[in-house]
Amino acid sequence: MDQPHVIVLFGAMGDLARRKLLPGLMNLFEAGLLGQSSIVGTSLEEVDTELFVKFAREAIDEFGKGTLDEARWGPFAAMLTYVPQSAGPAAIADAVRAAETDLAADGEEVRRLHYLSVPPTAALDVVRQLDEAGLVERSRIIMEKPFGTDLASAKILNGRLHEVFDEAQIFRIDHFLGKEAAQNILAFRFANGLFEPIWNRNFIDHVQIDVPETLGLEGRTRFYEGTGAYRDMVVTHLMQVVAFMAMEPPTSLAPGPISDEKLKVFRSMRAIEPHNVVRGQYDGYRDHPEAADDSDTETFVALKVEIDNWRWAGVPFFMRTGKKLAEGARIISIAFKEPPLTMFPAGSNVGTQGPDHLTFDLADQSKMSLSFYGKRPGPGMKLEKLSMQFATHDTATSSSVLEAYERLIHDAMRGDHTLFTSADGIETLWDLSRPLLTDPPPVRAYAPGSWGPNAIHQLIAPQAWRLPFERSWRDPNKLAQ
């Protein structure tokens, strides 16, 4: 980092801080990417710095990397300070300025990064606190999803934010785009002459983005009752992935040009019509104490999106995500158009396993697979589906992979908006969502452990959903034996 930073972590004793943020900050510190920094935690819990340091150590012990001995822990623990929310904005300001005084001993200007790991309903209260505390200058602010629940609320939220912070100071986080695999899409598309010429409607039949989850909504029911799967996952995550998949080549891989091209994709999308959406709710959801007896909240959503521009007209983008499904995965699958196959004899198996696919696995360790037909060794013309696969963990530099939150915190400290969502982008997506939100289709029941309501098959017909895969990822350890 070029400048020292004070990181103010709101919600510092919450679940996200425990699982991701504190372990991520520790990893950035040990990787030398945090620079000269101090961390000021604040939350509703009435504890002191000593107890916060204990909480942080337990979190990093459980969710961090490697064995945490005193030699590793001591330097990071020295960066931590805690102020309870009940102490008020002035106390937070005093803690920040005390940390800045220590960091500015060599005369460098100290920047501030405010991470709002708080419920959406509390975000504007935190913004007001920062304003009252005089902590807006030299600062950047990271905000968690969702960014509003419709167009009107998004405009109000952005308007209130812009009363205090400039757009250049605001970082709306989407951890999907922080993953190595999501950024690999840009490298794969734009650095290879083999693929960029065929990345269009002339060669691609359809695209699927599949993010099923096996977990239910225990502990998050109240949040979901006012949100649902579409607002929680599609607008803030899956649409951003679509933009990476569909955008035109930017003039450079700088934040401005990439944001411009993503916004063009959103502006080229057709409105999300109810007949192109399937909403589902898993059996037993209404039994949760905080769920209404007649709740219409969707815990599952599948939809078809159409991008009406020269590159993608006629190519449907299908998305599916939900809770308590059969498997957990984060997959992008691109199906290529099939060539004429009449030259192959009957019984050759050509075309029987679907079209050729390019698949991205959006796990923290990136994987890609290209499937195609090849001849089976032996007499006659028998074909079988083959694949070429790549995994980041097979490379010599796999230890350098940053987890999504680590990368995004580091980018925000550097002022890099490349992987973050703009106000224009989020408002455009809410505008496109108006037909669906005004007249949503009814929720359909589905059994926990299934792949969602049966209506998803009519949505995608004559194509078929790719999950579950007909082939699994190869295990390089087994191949080596």
Side-chain angles (χ1 to χ4, degrees):
M1 298 302 303
D2 294 332
Q3 291 176 291
H5 273 72
V6 175
I7 300 166
V8 186
L9 182 55
F10 290 85
M13 298 192 71
D15 191 59
L16 179 62
R18 185 172 69 92
R19 291 175 174 271
K20 294 292 184 182
L21 304 182
L22 290 167
L25 288 167
M26 175 76 173
N27 292 339
L28 287 173
F29 173 70
E30 293 195 313
L33 297 175
L34 209 56
Q36 291 294 108
S37 298
S38 288
I39 300 167
V40 176
T42 181
S43 195
L44 296 176
E45 284 75 7
E46 292 289 336
V47 301
D48 57 13
T49 294
E50 182 180 353
L51 286 175
F52 175 57
V53 170
K54 182 175 182 290
F55 170 85
R57 176 157 190 166
E58 291 172 352
I60 294 168
D61 258 331
E62 184 174 359
F63 298 104
K65 299 175 182 177
T67 302
L68 189 60
D69 56 27
E70 194 57 41
R72 288 183 63 202
W73 175 242
F76 183 75
M79 299 167 59
L80 302 176
T81 307
Y82 185 84
V83 181
Q85 278 284 292
S86 60
I92 297 172
D94 289 343
V96 170
R97 293 189 175 109
E100 289 176 341
T101 300
D102 293 339
L103 292 171
D106 57 1
E108 283 192 89
E109 184 179 62
V110 180
R111 293 203 66 97
R112 302 155 179 163
L113 179 71
H114 307 301
Y115 197 119
L116 274 57
S117 178
V118 298
T121 52
L124 287 176
D125 287 338
V126 173
V127 170
R128 177 183 51 78
Q129 286 183 46
L130 292 170
D131 194 18
E132 290 178 6
L135 295 177
V136 175
E137 186 184 6
R138 307 191 314 277
S139 71
R140 300 182 178 109
I141 180 172
I142 297 179
M143 301 194 64
E144 283 284 341
K145 67 173 178 77
F147 316 114
T149 56
D150 54 22
L151 180 59
S153 62
K155 285 185 172 181
I156 291 170
L157 175 61
N158 286 327
R160 296 277 297 278
L161 280 173
H162 291 154
E163 290 174 3
V164 180
F165 290 94
D166 293 334
E167 179 65 17
Q169 294 177 279
I170 302 168
F171 292 76
R172 299 169 187 82
I173 197 167
D174 172 17
H175 69 270
F176 270 50
L177 293 189
K179 294 180 178 295
E180 193 76 25
Q183 294 170 77
N184 217 355
I185 294 170
L186 298 182
F188 194 86
R189 283 191 59 186
F190 299 128
N192 295 291
L194 178 62
F195 290 102
E196 177 53 27
I198 62 172
W199 210 269
N200 56 58
R201 59 191 169 91
N202 297 319
F203 298 94
I204 292 177
D205 183 77
H206 68 278
V207 177
Q208 293 181 33
I209 301 174
D210 232 322
V211 188
E213 298 180 71
T214 57
L215 295 175
L217 284 164
E218 295 76 7
R220 296 187 71 212
T221 310
R222 179 180 296 177
F223 166 73
Y224 241 65
E225 275 292 277
T227 308
Y230 182 82
R231 291 178 171 94
D232 182 42
M233 291 292 294
V234 176
V235 175
T236 49
H237 289 325
L238 304 191
M239 288 293 195
Q240 308 303 321
V241 176
V242 168
F244 264 35
M245 292 292 302
M247 71 183 190
E248 295 298 316
T251 54
S252 73
L253 294 180
I258 287 180
S259 292
D260 291 344
E261 296 304 334
K262 286 170 60 180
L263 186 57
K264 288 179 187 177
V265 172
F266 299 147
R267 288 174 173 168
S268 298
M269 283 184 183
R270 293 183 177 176
I272 312 299
E273 299 291 345
H275 64 267
N276 285 329
V277 179
V278 174
R279 298 167 69 235
Q281 186 185 93
Y282 64 77
D283 292 331
Y285 171 80
R286 295 179 184 176
D287 296 334
H288 295 323
E290 295 175 325
D293 293 340
D294 59 349
S295 174
D296 190 49
T297 298
E298 79 276 5
T299 62
F300 171 98
V301 66
L303 64 153
K304 179 172 74 171
V305 169
E306 297 170 286
I307 302 172
D308 196 12
N309 62 17
W310 285 98
R311 184 180 289 266
W312 295 112
V315 179
F317 285 70
F318 296 102
M319 290 176 259
R320 176 174 60 166
T321 185
K323 308 295 184 183
K324 286 203 173 183
L325 297 178
E327 293 178 19
R330 294 171 178 177
I331 298 294
I332 303 171
S333 184
I334 300 157
F336 293 98
K337 290 184 176 179
E338 291 187 284
L341 302 174
T342 54
M343 62 179 285
F344 290 94
S348 66
N349 291 335
V350 67
T352 56
Q353 292 181 275
D356 300 341
H357 282 91
L358 175 65
T359 304
F360 293 87
D361 185 342
L362 294 183
D364 287 321
Q365 292 280 4
S366 171
K367 297 178 186 175
M368 291 184 291
S369 173
L370 178 63
S371 71
F372 52 91
Y373 288 94
K375 182 183 178 300
R376 183 183 300 169
M381 182 57 75
K382 276 281 192 188
L383 277 69
E384 60 184 350
K385 208 70 177 287
L386 307 172
S387 68
M388 293 187 292
Q389 297 185 357
F390 161 81
T392 301
H393 60 246
D394 293 336
T395 67
T397 55
S398 62
S399 61
S400 300
V401 172
L402 294 177
E403 291 193 2
Y405 281 100
E406 298 167 13
R407 180 185 307 278
L408 293 168
I409 290 170
H410 185 242
D411 282 356
M413 292 174 75
R414 296 188 301 115
D416 186 341
H417 277 86
T418 303
L419 302 176
F420 295 86
T421 306
S422 68
D424 285 344
I426 203 71
E427 288 179 12
T428 301
L429 289 172
W430 284 126
D431 191 28
L432 292 168
S433 304
R434 282 196 291 181
L436 172 64
L437 300 180
T438 301
D439 184 26
V443 292
R444 301 167 184 262
Y446 65 95
S450 69
W451 286 103
N454 288 332
I456 61 172
H457 302 298
Q458 286 77 51
L459 176 70
I460 201 172
Q463 292 89 8
W465 294 100
R466 281 213 79 204
L467 285 176
F469 278 133
E470 64 272 15
R471 294 173 312 287
S472 60
W473 295 97
R474 283 199 295 267
D475 185 342
N477 296 320
K478 290 182 179 179
L479 293 175
Q481 294 173 356

